[in-house]
Amino acid sequence: MKILIIHSNDICNYPPVKSLVENLENNGHEITIITRDSNNILEKFKDVKVFKLLPHGKTKLENFTNYLRNRKLIRKYYNLSAKENDVVWTTTTETVREVGHNLLSCNHHVMQMMELIEYEPYFPFVSIIKFNIKRYAQHAWKVVVPEKNRAYIQKAWWNLPRTPYVLPNKPYSIRIDKIPKELIPYIKKMKEETKKIILYQGVFLPDRNLDAVAKAISYLSDRYVLYIMGKENEYQKQLCEKYPFIVCVPFIPSPYHLAITKEAYIGLLPYVPKKVANSSILNALYCAPNKIYEYAACGLPMIGSDVLGLKEPFEKYNIGCCCDELDCSQITNALQTIETHYDEMSLNCKRYFNSIDLDNIVNSILSKE
């Protein structure tokens, strides 16, 4: 099958999109992709045809200019490629907006959504004018979300003819061919740690309650050390200034970040439902992090917030502990539970990772029923 993937953002920041490319290539599909690729991760896919978009700008003006130019490029490349492909697969709601009305004449549009959104702004810089994303979801051949509760919520919100498919944000593979040189000092430091490493990897946003976690771990600093890994921003800077014992690891493109993950002892998933941009407040409640699979693949038991998206897999597979409140008392209790059952939980993590068959899920999405 010939498949056109369109991803208006940078594939380096979206491990699920890279996972999709790996999945489709491994199953013999002919792939064309339109995307940004600042770290050239698509170069290893020799048989994938790539239409590369302009990178993010270094200034606000350059960023805005590149955004407008990329919108034209996406529509140009779509018009060049869409008719040659059997399926058009968009990866985010922003991507649907950038392709625009041409998708409404596409008979086999797979519309994937990374987040549970309330609306999509017509322009990314102006939230007052709303893009009619519901119309595109109703017209799509298949709608895909990363978590089952989101599937039923989105179906109800948008009056979809059928429940969206669930494609978890699990990495397709965790193989690392060669560790980049810049990672070696961090890996060496982690191997030499005398304390057990508690790791957070991901974005730094208000709905990740890292402040509460750092405060709790500050009382346990004789036994544990907190590492945080991701792109630097103001929230991250403030956190590190407030808690100087935190070890910061910069953003590392997938899959090389897993070389860091493997050296940790426990993984953190501190989600707190908050309104962030156009995402629903339910987004974090039914979180669908690729981190849960990355931690699990490396055998890391997890500590998370009391949200349904984490509570269900934690309890079903016994892979971690959810805290009602991310305070010192509850985090200490969670750590004690994990320490007592560490080997069992670590093995359960790997079983959980292996329980999800991405090949079967993607094949069912692409089936012509």
Side-chain angles (χ1 to χ4, degrees):
M1 187 177 286
K2 294 183 178 181
I3 300 171
L4 171 63
I5 302 171
I6 312 175
H7 180 65
S8 63
N9 297 293
D10 196 324
I11 192 172
C12 304
N13 300 332
Y14 287 77
V17 181
K18 176 179 171 289
S19 178
L20 175 65
V21 174
E22 288 180 311
N23 186 314
L24 295 173
E25 182 188 54
N26 193 57
N27 282 281
H29 297 288
E30 189 175 325
I31 308 161
T32 300
I33 184 168
I34 303 169
T35 187
R36 293 178 176 180
D37 183 17
S38 59
N39 291 100
N40 301 313
I41 65 172
L42 289 169
E43 287 183 356
K44 76 169 192 173
F45 299 99
K46 301 303 180 185
D47 296 324
V48 174
K49 184 178 180 180
V50 180
F51 288 109
K52 213 168 182 180
L53 301 175
L54 297 169
H56 286 286
K58 295 179 180 179
T59 65
K60 287 184 178 180
L61 178 59
E62 185 182 2
N63 201 36
F64 179 70
T65 301
N66 282 1
Y67 162 74
L68 294 177
R69 292 170 69 188
N70 277 338
R71 174 178 275 197
K72 289 183 179 179
L73 284 174
I74 288 170
R75 295 178 181 184
K76 174 185 174 181
Y77 295 147
Y78 176 88
N79 290 331
L80 284 172
S81 307
K83 291 180 181 179
E84 299 174 359
N85 286 272
D86 303 303
V87 172
V88 174
W89 189 309
T90 58
T91 56
T92 64
T93 51
E94 299 100 311
T95 300
V96 172
R97 177 190 64 205
E98 301 315 314
V99 179
H101 70 275
N102 283 330
L103 286 171
L104 296 175
S105 58
C106 178
N107 293 326
H108 293 98
H109 171 210
V110 176
M111 179 175 163
Q112 184 175 4
M113 294 184 287
M114 298 289 177
E115 308 294 345
L116 183 64
I117 68 159
E118 292 181 350
Y119 67 93
E120 185 62 45
Y122 195 82
F123 293 103
F125 314 103
V126 183
S127 60
I128 298 174
I129 307 172
K130 294 180 173 56
F131 179 75
N132 190 2
I133 193 69
K134 173 181 175 180
R135 182 185 178 195
Y136 288 80
Q138 290 175 335
H139 181 270
W141 177 50
K142 307 283 179 73
V143 176
V144 177
V145 298
E147 195 272 337
K148 69 177 182 180
N149 291 288
R150 293 189 186 186
Y152 287 94
I153 292 169
Q154 211 76 70
K155 179 185 180 184
W157 278 356
W158 289 351
N159 192 28
L160 300 180
R162 62 178 170 179
T163 308
Y165 287 78
V166 177
L167 177 60
N169 287 332
K170 175 188 171 183
Y172 189 71
S173 68
I174 56 169
R175 184 179 65 253
I176 302 173
D177 299 323
K178 186 179 179 181
I179 296 175
K181 291 180 180 179
E182 58 268 24
L183 279 191
I184 293 174
Y186 294 102
I187 294 172
K188 184 174 183 291
K189 177 177 175 59
M190 295 178 85
K191 287 183 180 294
E192 293 173 351
E193 282 284 2
T194 57
K195 301 171 185 178
K196 293 174 179 177
I197 297 170
I198 298 176
L199 173 69
Y200 171 80
Q201 59 184 51
V203 296
F204 301 108
L205 292 171
D207 65 348
R208 317 294 161 93
N209 198 2
L210 288 168
D211 193 277
V213 173
K215 183 177 181 180
I217 293 175
S218 69
Y219 294 110
L220 305 166
S221 58
D222 58 325
R223 288 174 288 163
Y224 302 99
V225 60
L226 176 61
Y227 277 62
I228 62 174
M229 177 171 63
K231 284 191 174 181
E232 183 181 272
N233 63 10
E234 283 305 311
Y235 177 54
Q236 183 249 32
K237 289 179 185 177
Q238 292 169 9
L239 193 70
C240 292
E241 287 175 5
K242 189 174 181 180
Y243 303 99
F245 64 86
I246 292 175
V247 179
C248 294
V249 181
F251 170 77
I252 299 161
S254 173
Y256 303 109
H257 68 298
L258 294 174
I260 298 293
T261 313
K262 290 177 180 178
E263 300 300 327
Y265 185 70
I266 289 171
L268 282 176
L269 295 157
Y271 287 80
V272 177
K274 285 188 178 180
K275 189 78 177 69
V276 179
N278 60 316
S279 293
S280 167
I281 197 168
L282 300 176
N283 194 45
L285 184 63
Y286 298 110
C287 63
N290 51 293
K291 289 186 289 294
I292 193 171
Y293 300 103
E294 292 170 350
Y295 293 152
C298 298
L300 270 61
M302 296 158 243
I303 295 176
S305 310
D306 184 23
V307 296
L308 290 171
L310 299 177
K311 198 176 183 74
E312 182 178 1
F314 279 19
E315 292 180 350
K316 182 177 180 180
Y317 292 94
N318 189 25
I319 57 174
C321 298
C322 285
C323 300
D324 294 335
E325 297 290 336
L326 288 172
D327 57 25
C328 188
S329 173
Q330 295 214 19
I331 289 179
T332 300
N333 289 340
L335 287 168
Q336 288 174 346
T337 299
I338 290 172
E339 293 279 15
T340 303
H341 304 283
Y342 191 89
D343 290 342
E344 178 189 353
M345 283 186 164
S346 181
L347 185 60
N348 288 341
C349 283
K350 293 177 181 179
R351 286 174 176 161
Y352 169 62
F353 181 85
N354 292 327
S355 70
I356 296 165
D357 186 344
L358 292 179
D359 287 324
N360 185 55
I361 295 170
V362 171
N363 285 337
S364 68
I365 293 169
L366 293 174
S367 65
K368 299 279 188 178
E369 88 277 7

